[in-house]
Structures are given as C-alpha cells and as structure tokens.
Amino acid sequence: MSELWLHDVGDDVTREEIQKGCAAAKALIESRGLTVDQAYAAVMKRSNRESFDRNAAKAWDDAEDAALGAIFGDIDDWPDDAVLGLAGEV
C-alpha cells in the first residue's frame, strides 16, 4: 500500500505535522471503504481525462482538504501550491 505525503507545504511545516495531516487524509479515505491506492488511481485517471471512479476521486479531494486542515486550520491559511500525493513523488 502506498504512503501519503503533503508536498509544497512550506519550509516551516515539520515532518510530524505532515504525518498528522497524512494520517487524517488516510483515515478519511478508509472511512469511505477505499484504499489510498484506489483513491489515488481515480484522481490520476481524472487528471488524464480517463474514465474514473467519482466516489474515489471525491474521497481523495476531501482527504487533501482534511490533511491541510489538520495542519493549517482555516482554508485561507493553506499554501497555494500544497498538494496531497504519494510519498516519494514530487
């Protein structure tokens, strides 16, 4: 199973804070009966304009919001370039 990571969140965000956000994201995805890999595959297919599982892609989108919310709180405080992805990707 793939591990999540938050990319481009800024230099002042600690590894522990990122891990906290990723745990929130993973919990949200799993609460919808999906795996990280299923949600990631759906969002990648969507970005490539392929047929995709809408529920899985929505879970990914919501998980990204949950991860960033766990670190930054209010949506107005989130870095513009921050994105949820898989660990090891840039």
Side-chain angles (χ1 to χ4, degrees), residues 27-42:
L28 187 143
I29 291 169
E30 291 177 348
S31 77
R32 303 217 180 145
L34 299 162
T35 66
V36 166
D37 291 327
Q38 289 171 314
Y40 183 74

Side-chain angles (χ1 to χ4, degrees), residues 34-64:
L34 299 162
T35 66
V36 166
D37 291 327
Q38 289 171 314
Y40 183 74
V43 84
M44 292 309 296
K45 286 181 179 182
R46 180 180 69 191
S47 70
N48 291 325
R49 299 182 193 268
E50 299 173 25
S51 179
F52 64 95
D53 179 333
R54 291 186 186 281
N55 291 330
K58 175 75 168 129
W60 184 271
D61 295 340
D62 293 345
E64 183 174 65

